[in-house]
Amino acid sequence: MTWLWFFAKIGVALGIIFSLGPVCIMGDRKISAWIQGRVGPNRVGPWGTFQPIADILKLMMKEVIVPDGVDKVLFLGGPLIVFIAPVFGYCVIPFGNQIGEEKLQVVNLDIGLLFIMSVLSVGVYGITLGGWASNNKFSLMGSLRASAQLISYELTFGLTMLLVVMMSASADPLKSASVDLSKIVLHQAEYGWNIFGGATWWGLPSGLIGFVLLFTCAMAENNRLPFDMAECEAELVGGYHTEYSGMGFAMYMFSEYCSMILSASLIVTLFLGGWSFPYLTDPADHSFLAGVISIGVFFTKICIILFLYIQLRWTLPRFRYDQVMSLGWKTFLPLALVNIGYMAVIGVFLEKP
Amino acid sequence: MDAHNPHADAHKDAHALVAHAPPGLSWLARASIAAYLPSIAAGMAKTLEWMFRPAVTLRYPEQQYKPRKGYRGEHRLKKDEQGRPKCVACFMCATACPAECITIVAEPAPWPDRDKVPAKFEIDMLKCIYCGMCEEACPCDAIELTETFTQIATTRKEKIYDKERLLKN
Ligand code: SF4
Ligand code: SF4
């Protein structure tokens, strides 16, 4: 029975990531078309809904060209690494409440947040290795940019996560802070979402700033458009995947969307109350129906965040590389530090038992 | 930078806030990044609004573009009431053509009312820039541009229109 549950949960987690992936690709193209006053893909299947399938089929049937002078192992391994990382990360995301005794989370790690943190950074190895192995200056430049950007924004990312951990401890001084994602969500379900400051009114500015910071950093880490320094067509041909074709390119493309979904889930889990929604879900209700509803709530929230991602991509122009760096180091990092400083100091003075 | 370049000035304006803040206060200027948030929100509202507007593009093969009156498409050689080409092979159009895509070879006319007729009249449609100068230059009103929008060919040769093809248009 436990094994059955285990596989069912893996199924749901993989289902979320692999079903939303093509939907995201499609959504990206359709929404960009609508915003630009176009129709978008509409030939394959009804309203063009089979377009992502056609895309993937096309890329699968294309020849994988391995240029002379590349490091074959790393060249072919790069896409694999980026592809696997977000899937790995998904195993600690709580995508629903409990059904009976079973938490709706593939593995309930005590160190969920740290696990996510490390897995999120593994993805950039794939990009860096792929770009370096390509033996092409543009690819190398793109991958270097990707790693520089990731390191810069990882700091703010981590500090914002720290803020969440502090918030999840703030309501009940006797309870210690937790990096267990399911506990963070439960705390939000009970006391209020972290974006609104968690349990306390004075946390509100902190929560809002934290949300904006996390959202932006997640975007920067996924190399999404306002921050897509790594594949900047205007300067770097195609960036790190210039030399890739066929399946290698498909995996890079798909993994961008997968890690988008992972970070959207992370944002939802950390700041938007995970699977909880007032009056719709009840943390104490462990029936099957309530579990399904909580999965639905979680799914809807991810979709909203993903939509925001896509819309932002087609709204904002791309940053210049030095602007990205100065935004990360000179604005976001101090802001995040001040933010957790505020949270810590006020927490100590106002919440002393 | 060049002070007379308006772009340079605009660029300066945009960054003046951060670049020219008093030394001790530059962190404040930088923290004013929050000032961008309303603009970003306004931009998002704009794109959201555009999402719900009807598309402005045509679904081409099904919906055909109908050119307005006066559109300059493929050429036509006109005929007079008796069905003869109006052209008198005066070379005015070939001279006026800025793309030099009209090739005319003249021959003596079989009819008494004119000296010459074109033996060969070719327009290279791929060189033509559809400026309409030939139409302007023609003293006999013998050539004009039609409103044919779609031009299809599979080889370059097909796009060199000879006299017969132009008369058919
Ligand atoms: S339209 Fe212009 S370019 Fe074309 S044949 Fe006439 S004069 Fe030449
Ligand atoms: S200008 Fe008119 S009449 Fe003269 S050669 Fe051209 S088409 Fe013929």
Side-chain angles (χ1 to χ4, degrees):
Chain A
M1 199 59 195
T2 19
W3 281 103
L4 218 60
W5 268 111
F6 187 59
F7 283 120
K9 287 191 291 191
I10 290 181
V12 174
L14 283 184
I16 289 180
I17 211 163
F18 284 133
S19 68
L20 268 181
V23 170
C24 257
I25 297 179
M26 187 63 193
D28 212 357
R29 299 177 67 169
K30 269 292 193 196
I31 290 169
S32 74
W34 289 332
I35 286 176
Q36 295 163 358
R38 295 184 284 117
V39 181
N42 65 346
R43 299 276 151 176
V44 196
W47 303 289
T49 31
F50 295 155
Q51 187 67 41
I53 299 171
D55 282 352
I56 297 284
L57 271 181
K58 181 197 84 176
L59 286 168
M60 262 164 44
M61 282 192 274
K62 272 185 152 177
E63 182 189 357
V64 180
I65 299 168
V66 182
D68 278 350
V70 304
D71 187 322
K72 281 212 179 60
V73 177
L74 294 184
F75 187 78
L76 298 176
L80 278 176
I81 297 176
V82 267
F83 191 64
I84 288 171
V87 180
F88 243 134
Y90 225 83
C91 68
V92 290
I93 297 270
F95 51 83
N97 195 3
Q98 240 165 306
I99 296 182
E101 286 300 295
E102 289 293 331
K103 279 202 170 122
L104 291 180
Q105 184 182 20
V106 176
V107 269
N108 185 17
L109 281 186
D110 289 341
I111 51 158
L113 204 51
L114 303 181
F115 182 78
I116 288 261
M117 193 72 191
S118 47
V119 159
L120 266 181
S121 357
V122 166
V124 83
Y125 281 94
I127 292 180
T128 312
L129 288 180
W132 180 72
S134 295
N135 200 8
N136 174 329
K137 291 194 184 77
F138 290 118
S139 306
L140 181 61
M141 213 103 85
S143 54
L144 283 181
R145 282 184 175 195
S147 40
Q149 188 178 322
L150 185 108
I151 289 170
S152 314
Y153 281 84
E154 193 96 300
L155 288 172
T156 317
F157 207 75
L159 287 178
T160 320
M161 286 185 174
L162 194 56
L163 178 82
V164 171
V165 175
M166 285 161 76
M167 279 178 159
S168 69
S170 60
D172 187 353
L174 299 177
K175 233 198 259 167
S176 62
S178 177
V179 285
D180 181 345
L181 286 169
S182 62
K183 283 200 189 124
I184 291 176
V185 173
L186 270 176
H187 179 272
Q188 294 183 69
E190 228 166 297
Y191 297 104
W193 298 357
N194 281 341
I195 182 176
F196 302 123
T200 51
W201 59 265
W202 45 265
L204 179 63
S206 219
L208 285 176
I209 293 174
F211 175 72
V212 171
L213 288 181
L214 190 71
F215 192 88
T216 323
C217 291
M219 211 138 94
E221 296 214 344
N222 295 344
N223 292 316
R224 285 293 288 175
L225 192 73
F227 297 101
D228 72 338
M229 293 298 115
E231 46 185 295
C232 211
E233 302 91 349
E235 308 140 42
L236 295 183
V237 191
Y240 60 90
H241 54 46
T242 306
E243 298 288 353
Y244 281 90
S245 57
M247 219 36 215
F249 175 75
M251 280 163 95
Y252 270 126
M253 189 181 77
F254 197 64
S255 71
E256 181 188 323
Y257 288 95
C258 286
S259 50
M260 224 169 103
I261 294 163
L262 176 62
S263 45
S265 319
L266 195 61
I267 292 169
V268 167
T269 309
L270 294 184
F271 274 99
L272 298 176
W275 43 259
S276 72
F277 198 85
Y279 304 113
L280 215 58
T281 55
D282 177 7
D285 186 355
H286 292 171
S287 68
F288 184 73
L289 183 68
V292 171
I293 290 178
S294 67
I295 294 179
V297 168
F298 184 70
F299 198 75
T300 318
K301 283 181 183 172
I302 300 181
C303 288
I304 293 172
I305 293 286
L306 286 176
F307 175 78
L308 274 182
Y309 263 146
I310 292 173
Q311 201 201 345
L312 262 174
R313 170 174 187 179
W314 299 105
T315 304
L316 298 181
R318 161 190 288 141
F319 285 106
R320 219 169 48 215
Y321 184 60
D322 61 319
Q323 288 172 335
V324 169
M325 284 295 132
S326 78
L327 186 73
W329 287 100
K330 293 183 183 165
T331 305
F332 278 11
L333 188 59
L335 209 59
L337 278 172
V338 169
N339 204 10
I340 60 167
Y342 167 83
M343 198 69 199
V345 172
I346 303 272
V348 167
F349 285 119
L350 283 188
E351 289 294 310
K352 260 267 143 59
Chain B
M1 242 197 258
D2 182 10
H4 302 293
N5 181 355
H7 294 294
D9 287 347
H11 181 77
K12 262 190 221 147
D13 279 350
H15 292 278
L17 190 66
V18 172
H20 302 299
L25 285 177
S26 63
W27 64 272
L28 189 68
R30 231 171 252 124
S32 66
I33 192 88
Y36 290 124
L37 287 179
S39 337
I40 292 177
M44 300 280 282
K46 192 43 93 192
T47 41
L48 199 65
E49 181 202 327
W50 267 87
M51 258 188 76
F52 295 102
R53 291 199 190 174
V56 293
T57 49
L58 286 177
R59 262 68 89 216
Y60 171 62
E62 291 96 36
Q63 295 177 330
Q64 288 284 342
Y65 174 67
K66 207 172 160 304
R68 312 240 174 98
K69 241 183 133 42
Y71 176 83
R72 300 196 294 264
E74 279 179 2
H75 304 68
R76 162 197 296 149
L77 277 180
K78 293 206 230 169
K79 294 177 189 163
D80 61 11
E81 313 81 59
Q82 300 166 42
R84 305 175 300 178
K86 273 186 175 181
C87 175
V88 296
C90 69
F91 287 77
M92 293 285 258
C93 52
T95 314
C97 177
E100 304 194 334
C101 58
I102 306 182
T103 317
I104 304 172
V105 175
E107 65 180 4
W111 311 298
D113 59 345
R114 63 194 69 170
D115 284 343
K116 294 188 290 180
V117 291
K120 181 175 150 204
F121 195 111
E122 275 181 6
I123 302 183
D124 188 338
M125 291 298 178
L126 296 175
K127 275 193 198 161
C128 174
I129 57 171
Y130 302 94
C131 62
M133 294 293 254
C134 43
E135 189 178 353
E136 300 268 328
C138 182
C140 304
D141 194 19
I143 191 167
E144 72 174 356
L145 284 96
T146 62
E147 287 167 8
T148 316
F149 176 73
T150 317
Q151 296 200 25
I152 301 160
T154 48
T155 59
R156 278 167 187 273
K157 238 192 175 107
E158 277 173 58
K159 290 313 283 181
I160 300 177
Y161 282 14
D162 58 6
K163 195 170 74 179
E164 279 63 47
R165 181 72 182 75
L166 287 167
L167 280 167
K168 242 190 337 200
N169 251 354

